[in-house]
């Protein structure tokens, strides 16, 4: 009797131990960080959970279901429950509602982070498993109030622009089904202060660097052919649609138009339908003055007087924007009209004789560029590029005078905390209540530091330091990366009730990485100006947060090359967005300063990714997608380049995810400028792989 009871007790103990090992127990390395790991069943089948300790700070977790027959089940989930109460959360995408998930479409550098003052927990999906065919897509989720991180499988659908929600209809086939992920932990202050450095190093060394060394994403290091094709497209084969030239104040001025679409192709047989109002922009996104500098550098290098003349006409256009008390507008546009041809309506420009000055209509107030308010970020950015032109290309004193008049006006707009407002009334020049204290301030810091270096005027340095310190104090620690693009571009989800607030379920703000970039750049410039290493430390932290938006692998479900490309924000779907060409130089600058091969490789990957969307035989894989979407494209369209891929949150290998327009100043022209500037700064050796 005693022996039988002892045997039953042993069996029960064995079953509890197996059950705990499968679901509850975690290795001792994780126990002060992870309370529990719970995995769902699939049609009643429990998974086998195993742990592999890679180091005391890194553990690999494998979860395997062995299914004897196919299972119809909407989803399966693994919950990782922290053993502490986090105060900081980060994930690549927002999941504001209980049905929301982070679909694998946005797995660029997928990770989930939580931390408090003395513990950091990071969960990273095993991308090696995602390289293989999976019957059901993967997803992630962060639930801050209930304190868990989730990795699972589920179908999804897009809601709004762009959030993902669970969808029904998943079928798990018979056989082995596996999910795997890395758990990274630390109690070191440096890791908690910069929680992204460890995950970034792991992802780059494991997935990014091998692809980089194999030649991704272009399989060639010579970017000259792409640049040549860009300028041939803009100023030759598509010149009638792209190049705009007219007389203004007695001078010939010109610039590439803001946007063109596929109906303006020389190979398109139906009437032209202009997508947006014909215009030229000098603002924080689309800046003709910046792109003209790349053209000027190229023209000078190739002794092309025609292209140089066009660059100079673009400079003249920028200087022709009238100033009022130092302030100036960012857009010059034509009136538009609607014409009817064969019973169909088309948008057309009335011509440059109907021109007017306005501002970017990406704002909280109006879609009408005529009525749009002054935007400080646009003015600071354009004035900064005037200074760059003066310092690096031509000693045109008009550029300095124009920029200084604006700088002096800017100083008077700084608030007591140090911030510069975002928008100013056209009439009163007073702040308008949206983003009055935001990281858009960082862009003005970079401009003021440029002015200080040129003039030695200490007021510029003092203002810049006060502004940057405000951003470092109020924005950086909580990730409040809100700028004009966060809410008032294509992704307007949350524009009514999220501004200035965290999304409770994620303990995160809606974030856009443009303002992260501006802040990382301002911190680096402040360090170079003052020698204060705290700015460099905070700058690297900010840069690493930016790099969490960079693709570090090649998903099999992406029909174009992705390594090095950037997404945009935590509520949108783009891959390979054109901003990466601007980011590339900054990443390389940090790499040079910190002697980091990883940063230099990431920067070069970002620059090369800037050309991957181009329609050209140089990109056979991408070209195939263009031809699937727009079969009338031909050799005259070589150089056409959409600003990103998968913008709507979905892709396939038959052209889904390919767009229908090119923004020269936010696409091929911007990428060419970035290449030409880096070439002049570092020489051709920077582009050679080591």
């Amino acid at each position: 009797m005693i022996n039988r009871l002892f045997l039953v007790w042993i069996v029960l103990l064995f079953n509890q131990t197996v059950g705990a090992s499968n679901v509850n127990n975690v290795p001792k390395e994780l126990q002060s960080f992870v309370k529990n790991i719970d995995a769902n069943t699939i049609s009643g089948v429990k998974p086998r959970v195993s742990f592999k300790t890679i180091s005391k700070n890194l553990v690999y977790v494998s979860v395997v279901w062995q299914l004897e027959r196919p299972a119809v089940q909407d989803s399966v989930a693994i919950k990782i429950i922290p053993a502490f109460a986090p105060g900081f959360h980060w994930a690549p995408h927002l999941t504001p509602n209980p049905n929301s998930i982070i679909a694998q479409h946005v797995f660029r550098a997928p990770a989930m982070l939580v931390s408090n003052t003395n513990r950091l927990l990071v969960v990273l999906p095993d991308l090696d498993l995602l390289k293989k065919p999976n019957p059901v897509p993967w997803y992630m989720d962060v639930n801050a109030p209930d304190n868990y991180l989730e990795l699972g499988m589920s179908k999804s659908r897009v809601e709004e622009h762009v959030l993902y929600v669970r969808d029904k209809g998943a079928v798990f086939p018979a056989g082995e089904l596996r999910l795997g992920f890395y758990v990274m932990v630390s109690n070191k202050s440096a890791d908690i202060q910069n929680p992204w450095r460890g995950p970034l190093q792991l992802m780059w060394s494991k997935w990014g660097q091998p692809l980089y060394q194999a030649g991704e994403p272009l399989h060639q290091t010579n970017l000259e052919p792409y640049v040549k094709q860009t300028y041939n497209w803009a100023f030759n084969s598509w010149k009638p649609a792209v190049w705009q030239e007219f007389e203004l104040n007695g001078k010939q001025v010109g610039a590439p138009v803001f946007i063109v679409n596929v109906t303006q192709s020389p190979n398109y047989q139906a009437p032209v339908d202009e997508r947006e109002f014909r215009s030229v922009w000098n603002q924080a996104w689309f800046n003709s003055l910046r792109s003209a500098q790349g053209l000027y550098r190229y023209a000078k290098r190739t002794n092309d007087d025609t292209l140089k003349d066009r660059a100079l006409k673009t400079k003249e256009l920028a200087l022709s924007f009238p100033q009022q008390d130092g302030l100036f507008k960012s857009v010059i546009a034509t009136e538009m009209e609607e014409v009817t041809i064969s019973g169909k309506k088309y948008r057309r420009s009335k011509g440059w004789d109907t021109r007017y000055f306005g501002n970017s209509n990406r704002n909280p107030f109006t879609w009408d560029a005529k009525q749009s308010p002054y935007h400080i970020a646009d003015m600071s950015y354009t004035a900064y590029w005037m200074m760059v032109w003066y310092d690096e290309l031509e000693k045109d004193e008009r550029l300095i005078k124009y920029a200084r008049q604006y700088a002096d006006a800017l100083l008077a707009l700084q608030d007591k905390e140090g911030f510069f407002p975002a928008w100013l009334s056209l009439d009163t020049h007073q702040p308008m209540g949206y983003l009055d204290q935001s990281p858009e301030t960082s862009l003005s810091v970079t401009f003021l530091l440029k002015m200080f270096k040129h003039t030695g005027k200490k007021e510029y340095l003092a203002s810049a330091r006060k502004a940057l310190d405000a951003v470092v104090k109020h924005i950086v620690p909580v990730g409040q990366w809100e700028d004009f693009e966060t809410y008032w571009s294509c992704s307007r989800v949350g524009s009514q009730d999220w501004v200035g607030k965290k999304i409770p379920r994620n303990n995160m703000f809606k974030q856009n990485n443009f303002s992260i970039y501006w802040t990382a750049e301002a911190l680096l410039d402040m360090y170079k100006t003052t020698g204060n290493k705290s700015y460099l430390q905070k700058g690297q932290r900010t840069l690493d947060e930016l790099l969490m938006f960079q693709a570090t692998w090649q998903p099999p479900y992406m029909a174009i090359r992705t390594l090095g490309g950037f997404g945009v924000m935590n509520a949108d779907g783009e891959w390979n967005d054109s901003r990466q060409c601007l980011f590339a130089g900054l990443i390389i600058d940090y790499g040079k300063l910190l002697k980091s091969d990883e940063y230099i490789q990431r920067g070069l990957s970002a620059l090369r990714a800037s050309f991957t969307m181009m329609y050209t035989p140089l990109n056979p894989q991408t070209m195939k997608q263009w031809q699937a979407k727009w079969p009338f494209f031909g050799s005259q369209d070589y150089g056409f380049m959409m600003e990103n891929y998968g913008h709507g949150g979905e892709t396939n290998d038959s052209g889904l995810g390919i767009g229908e327009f090119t923004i020269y100043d936010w696409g091929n022209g911007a990428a060419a400028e970035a290449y030409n500037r880096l070439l002049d700064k570092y020489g051709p050796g920077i582009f050679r792989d080591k």
Side-chain angles (χ1 to χ4, degrees):
M1 182 69 176
I2 293 177
N3 288 341
R4 287 183 62 192
L5 288 174
F6 180 74
L7 181 60
V8 169
W9 179 81
I10 289 291
V11 170
L12 287 173
L13 178 63
F14 176 77
N15 286 339
Q16 288 171 358
T17 301
V18 171
S21 175
N22 281 349
V23 182
N24 298 319
N25 282 355
V26 296
K28 62 180 180 179
E29 293 87 355
L30 300 182
Q31 287 174 4
S32 62
F33 299 89
V34 178
K35 178 182 179 181
N36 213 26
I37 296 178
D38 290 333
N40 292 161
T41 63
I42 300 179
S43 289
V45 176
K46 294 181 179 180
R48 182 178 72 255
V49 181
S50 59
F51 302 88
K52 179 181 179 182
T53 299
I54 299 172
S55 70
K56 73 173 187 175
N57 298 111
L58 186 65
V59 173
Y60 183 80
V61 183
S62 177
V63 183
V64 179
W65 293 263
Q66 194 67 43
L67 303 180
E68 294 184 0
R69 60 184 62 86
V72 178
Q73 182 172 309
D74 288 339
S75 66
V76 63
I78 303 167
K79 288 186 178 179
I80 301 96
I81 303 170
F84 59 96
F88 179 82
H89 299 75
W90 188 92
H93 215 74
L94 294 175
T95 56
N97 304 307
N99 201 37
S100 304
I101 57 175
I102 304 168
Q104 71 178 30
H105 175 89
V106 294
F107 279 25
R108 303 176 194 91
M112 298 177 284
L113 317 176
V114 295
S115 68
N116 62 13
T117 56
N118 54 25
R119 278 179 280 188
L120 168 67
L121 168 64
V122 186
V123 174
L124 304 96
D126 181 3
L127 298 181
D128 284 330
L129 295 180
L130 269 175
K131 294 177 184 177
K132 305 171 184 177
N134 282 290
V136 183
W138 288 26
Y139 75 89
M140 299 188 298
D141 184 26
V142 173
N143 187 318
D146 293 342
N147 196 22
Y148 67 80
L149 313 176
E150 186 168 293
L151 178 67
M153 292 182 176
S154 173
K155 297 177 74 173
S156 66
R157 66 180 186 274
V158 175
E159 285 193 353
E160 301 184 83
H161 187 102
V162 167
L163 297 174
Y164 294 92
V165 297
R166 302 172 192 271
D167 206 357
K168 296 182 178 181
V171 177
F172 299 95
E176 182 181 275
L177 183 71
R178 182 184 298 270
L179 277 169
F181 56 97
Y182 294 87
V183 178
M184 181 179 289
V185 298
S186 180
N187 56 12
K188 293 181 179 179
S189 176
D191 294 334
I192 294 167
Q193 290 300 313
N194 182 356
W196 299 284
R197 181 86 300 264
L200 286 169
Q201 281 182 317
L202 175 65
M203 287 186 281
W204 191 254
S205 63
K206 187 167 182 60
W207 296 298
Q209 187 177 45
L211 288 173
Y212 173 85
Q213 291 174 336
E216 294 287 346
L218 290 180
H219 297 287
Q220 58 182 317
T221 58
N222 183 13
L223 300 182
E224 278 288 330
Y226 292 95
V227 175
K228 183 178 181 180
Q229 206 151 72
T230 293
Y231 294 143
N232 181 66
W233 173 83
F235 304 110
N236 184 14
S237 63
W238 272 60
K239 180 186 173 185
V242 174
W243 178 249
Q244 308 295 304
E245 186 172 328
F246 51 94
E247 186 177 298
L248 186 62
N249 301 328
K251 295 182 179 180
Q252 281 298 113
V253 299
V257 74
F258 158 44
I259 192 168
V260 291
N261 65 25
V262 295
T263 72
Q264 293 167 278
S265 165
N267 294 302
Y268 187 70
Q269 299 302 309
V272 168
D273 187 18
E274 296 188 54
R275 178 185 170 96
E276 296 199 36
F277 61 103
R278 188 177 299 183
S279 52
V280 175
W281 294 41
N282 278 330
Q283 58 103 227
W285 268 335
F286 326 127
N287 199 287
S288 69
L289 184 64
R290 180 188 67 218
S291 300
Q293 298 189 35
L295 185 64
Y296 185 96
R297 295 177 192 274
Y298 180 82
K300 186 177 179 181
R301 188 169 73 248
T302 60
N303 297 312
D304 191 322
D305 290 338
T306 300
L307 292 182
K308 183 178 179 181
D309 176 68
R310 294 203 173 114
L312 291 173
K313 285 175 178 173
T314 305
K315 180 192 70 171
E316 289 297 332
L317 176 58
L319 287 168
S320 298
F321 278 61
Q323 286 183 287
Q324 183 179 15
D325 299 327
L327 306 179
F328 57 97
K329 296 181 178 180
S330 63
V331 174
I332 184 168
T334 75
E335 299 286 356
M336 301 294 289
E337 63 181 346
E338 195 175 73
V339 300
T340 301
I341 303 174
S342 301
K344 293 184 178 180
K345 295 181 179 180
Y346 301 89
R347 295 188 74 202
R348 298 286 175 84
S349 167
K350 290 185 177 182
W352 285 103
D353 289 341
T354 66
R355 62 183 174 267
Y356 61 89
F357 289 100
N359 284 302
S360 167
N361 59 0
R362 272 59 169 181
N363 62 66
F365 312 103
T366 177
W367 279 107
D368 185 352
K370 285 182 181 179
Q371 303 300 321
S372 294
Y374 290 113
H375 189 204
I376 285 182
D378 296 347
M379 292 184 282
S380 290
Y381 196 59
T382 299
Y384 167 81
W385 283 104
M386 288 182 174
M387 297 296 298
V388 174
W389 193 302
Y390 181 89
D391 286 345
E392 300 181 16
L393 303 183
E394 285 185 305
K395 300 301 181 186
D396 186 337
E397 295 296 332
R398 297 175 300 162
L399 295 165
I400 297 299
K401 180 180 178 182
Y402 195 106
R404 186 160 189 170
Q405 287 175 343
Y406 167 67
D408 292 339
L410 180 64
L411 294 182
L413 295 167
Q414 190 167 29
D415 70 14
K416 293 181 180 179
E417 192 71 41
F419 288 99
F420 296 104
W423 287 281
L424 303 175
S425 165
L426 290 176
D427 299 324
T428 67
H429 299 178
Q430 293 301 305
M432 299 184 68
Y434 280 87
L435 303 190
D436 284 346
Q437 295 187 329
S438 81
E440 287 197 0
T441 290
S442 298
L443 208 160
S444 293
V445 170
T446 302
F447 164 63
L448 288 171
L449 289 176
K450 193 77 170 172
M451 289 299 302
F452 169 70
K453 291 170 189 174
H454 177 76
T455 66
K457 186 176 178 180
K458 293 182 179 179
E459 290 88 342
Y460 295 144
L461 176 59
S463 177
R465 194 198 302 265
K466 183 178 181 180
L468 188 56
D469 288 347
V471 173
V472 167
K473 178 181 178 181
H474 297 286
I475 304 298
V476 173
V478 295
Q480 192 171 351
W481 301 115
E482 296 176 309
D483 55 54
F484 74 91
E485 189 180 21
T486 314
Y487 294 106
W488 298 289
S489 179
C490 51
S491 177
R492 297 209 165 202
V493 59
S495 60
Q496 298 300 314
D497 50 8
W498 289 359
V499 182
K501 302 173 185 177
K502 284 186 176 181
I503 288 80
R505 193 171 182 275
N506 304 132
N507 190 33
M508 292 178 65
F509 292 93
K510 189 184 181 190
Q511 300 171 332
N512 182 55
N513 61 25
F514 218 6
S515 52
I516 304 177
Y517 159 68
W518 295 332
T519 303
E521 184 176 47
L523 286 161
L524 180 62
D525 282 357
M526 186 65 78
Y527 164 71
K528 290 179 177 179
T529 302
T530 66
N532 186 333
K533 289 187 177 180
S534 69
Y535 289 117
L536 178 61
Q537 182 183 30
K538 293 179 177 67
Q540 185 178 8
R541 178 198 190 276
T542 307
L543 178 74
D544 283 343
E545 187 169 4
L546 176 69
L547 293 175
M548 294 301 293
F549 291 87
Q550 186 182 33
T552 57
W553 69 304
Q554 178 60 54
Y557 48 84
M558 291 292 167
I560 49 90
R561 314 314 294 168
T562 61
L563 180 71
F566 273 82
V568 172
M569 65 175 76
N570 59 7
D572 219 335
E574 297 96 336
W575 286 67
N576 286 13
D577 191 79
S578 287
R579 68 199 57 226
Q580 61 220 1
C581 69
L582 306 182
F583 298 174
L586 180 67
I587 302 166
I588 291 170
D589 288 346
Y590 269 97
K592 290 285 188 178
L593 183 63
L594 297 172
K595 296 180 172 57
S596 167
D597 288 341
E598 178 194 332
Y599 285 154
I600 293 173
Q601 291 172 4
R602 283 180 174 274
L604 290 172
S605 296
L607 181 66
R608 292 166 184 163
S610 303
F611 293 97
T612 57
M613 292 308 301
M614 185 178 287
Y615 176 74
T616 170
L618 298 168
N619 296 333
Q621 190 171 348
T622 306
M623 191 174 179
K624 183 179 178 181
Q625 296 305 304
W626 280 110
Q627 290 171 333
K629 187 69 176 287
W630 309 113
F632 57 83
F633 265 22
S635 60
Q636 289 176 292
D637 301 301
Y638 293 166
F640 189 95
M641 188 169 82
M642 180 66 184
E643 62 178 344
N644 52 44
Y645 178 65
H647 186 196
E650 299 175 289
T651 63
N652 63 22
D653 60 0
S654 301
L656 180 63
I658 291 290
E660 54 101 27
F661 61 83
T662 286
I663 300 172
Y664 173 85
D665 293 319
W666 193 243
N668 47 16
E673 186 280 326
Y675 166 79
N676 288 319
R677 179 160 37 91
L678 281 168
L679 180 63
D680 282 359
K681 183 174 184 177
Y682 289 116
I686 188 65
F687 303 112
R688 300 192 185 109
D689 292 317
K690 296 180 180 179

